[in-house]
Amino acid sequence: MVCPEEAEKSVPRRPGPAQKSEERKRMSYFENVRRQAEELKNREHVRILALETSCDETAAAVVEDGRRILSNVVFSQIDLHELYGGVVPEIASRAHMEACDRVIDQALREAGMTLEETDALAVTKGPGLVGALLTGVNCMKGIAFATGKPLVGVNHIEGHVSANYLSHPDLEPPFLCLVVSGGHSHLVEVTEYGCYRLLGQTADDAAGEAFDKAARVLGLPYPGGPRMDVLAEEGNPEAFELPRPKTAGKYDYSFSGLKTAFINTVHRLEQRGEPLPKADLAASFRRAVCRELMEKAEAVIRDRQREAGGRTALRFAMAGGVSANRELRRTAEEMCRRRQVKLYMPEIPLCTDNGAMIGSAAYYRLLRGETADLSMNAEPALRLI
Ligand code: KG4
Ligand code: ZN
């Protein structure tokens, strides 16, 4: 049986005059921006105003030609969430609502531009917290409709990958990329701008998530990952032996077993009433995670080099919040030197969430004519591949 409300919803209604006029407005916006997007392909410079609100940073930036940062403003909500030990979605959405206008104004001011002088707009449409994403998407849809400028909806993870285009003007696809953030641990091949081939992924926790959970067990405040990293610098990475994860696929990851082993180690020490050697624990955990991340990345590289009989100039990039990790960066440098592979990493401030990476990703989508219409929605579970 279908309840009356549902039945009513399913009967297609004839559009009334108001709806028709709304539809016409939407159509003309879309047709107009498609024309503009075509023209922008021949423009000497394209400046994009980008907004990122997928989690706990309200960030806006102006990026020129996908490569040059004219401004990059990040308003972090850490202070608001620290009290709760993690991101509270409702608080995040409200804080984005309050900060969006201010952060956008500041990004335009620092770029020395007016809104009218920008060529296009970009916003993160997913993945992320639905309420947080919706505030950004609706804010930019409003600006797009009011100004008639093209709007590009960007995948947040593609944004992280694109941070490398900002830090390395010479980097062009194809390249291999390790994407390590709070929700992702992926090994991908970027075959061309905006095109990805999945090589490996985590079966359970993401690397950032594992760092955050381990940090919590040590009593470190949110956000745990960067704090574990700082603490680990003081510790002995050989102090505690943690297991090597077992995975189904050759290039896949798994961090939940490692996390459980870490928690058990901490509990055993606590039960014995011993003071926790926090720095040694943090260093041992960081060593285990970085070793796992880099071993699989190296396995891909080794296999590619073997297939090509050594005659291949591979490029390896890292992206996402965890790529800011000091030991991961050192391990990647060492591995790439040994394998004679060119390494690309975003500068530290571009590893974590920011608006500039969204502006860079949007540029290459815009060149392909991929503009959004005003029905664009937030997609909290949007995938890269
Ligand atoms: O990419 P990101 O800023 O947001 C997501 O898209 O998830 O990544 C955030 C994640 C968090 O789990 C955070 O703890 C971790 O990246 N992270 C780090 C470091 N900096 C950020 N983990 C380890 N070491 C760091 N230095
Ligand atoms: Zn992110």
Side-chain angles (χ1 to χ4, degrees), residues 11-129:
V11 175
R13 293 236 189 100
R14 280 234 197 121
Q19 273 170 303
K20 275 190 189 159
S21 137
E22 205 37 52
E23 183 65 19
R24 262 199 305 277
K25 261 199 251 163
R26 278 213 286 162
M27 279 306 292
S28 64
Y29 164 80
F30 192 50
E31 278 157 13
N32 176 24
V33 297
R34 286 184 83 145
R35 245 195 328 269
Q36 283 185 56
E38 272 310 303
E39 283 165 21
L40 287 178
K41 287 181 188 168
N42 303 316
R43 189 79 64 83
E44 195 187 349
H45 293 298
V46 175
R47 293 177 188 116
I48 298 181
L49 169 67
L51 180 67
E52 151 65 38
T53 66
S54 68
C55 190
D56 60 346
E57 255 106 26
T58 317
V62 180
V63 175
E64 187 176 75
D65 305 330
R67 298 277 177 168
R68 203 159 84 83
I69 299 176
L70 302 185
S71 66
N72 193 21
V73 179
V74 180
F75 169 70
S76 169
Q77 300 179 2
I78 285 180
D79 295 350
L80 299 177
H81 301 289
E82 194 170 355
L83 184 65
Y84 306 95
V87 181
V88 183
E90 176 71 22
I91 294 177
S93 313
R94 283 170 186 270
H96 285 310
M97 284 279 288
E98 286 165 13
C100 274
D101 284 3
R102 204 161 18 95
V103 170
I104 289 173
D105 275 351
Q106 194 179 336
L108 286 168
R109 215 173 31 249
E110 287 183 13
M113 296 179 80
T114 62
L115 181 57
E116 285 64 39
E117 285 166 339
T118 61
D119 300 299
L121 308 163
V123 67
T124 307
K125 66 174 175 181
L129 301 170

Side-chain angles (χ1 to χ4, degrees), residues 293-303 335 338-339:
L293 287 171
M294 222 28 76
E295 276 183 8
K296 301 295 169 64
E298 183 165 11
V300 170
I301 291 171
R302 191 190 310 112
D303 289 354
M335 184 272 282
R338 186 155 31 78
R339 288 263 145 216

Side-chain angles (χ1 to χ4, degrees), residues 231-242 279-288 291 327 330:
L231 186 61
E233 291 291 293
E234 314 283 305
N236 171 14
E238 311 293 336
F240 295 92
E241 198 166 330
L242 293 163
D280 288 351
L281 283 161
S284 304
F285 186 76
R286 183 178 70 167
R287 169 67 52 88
R291 186 177 56 204
E327 175 147 345
R330 289 194 292 260

Side-chain angles (χ1 to χ4, degrees), residues 52 54-55 156-157 160 181-182 320-321 351-354 357:
E52 151 65 38
S54 68
C55 190
H156 179 80
I157 301 303
H160 276 303
S181 69
C351 289
T352 43
D353 293 351
N354 64 86
M357 68 185 201

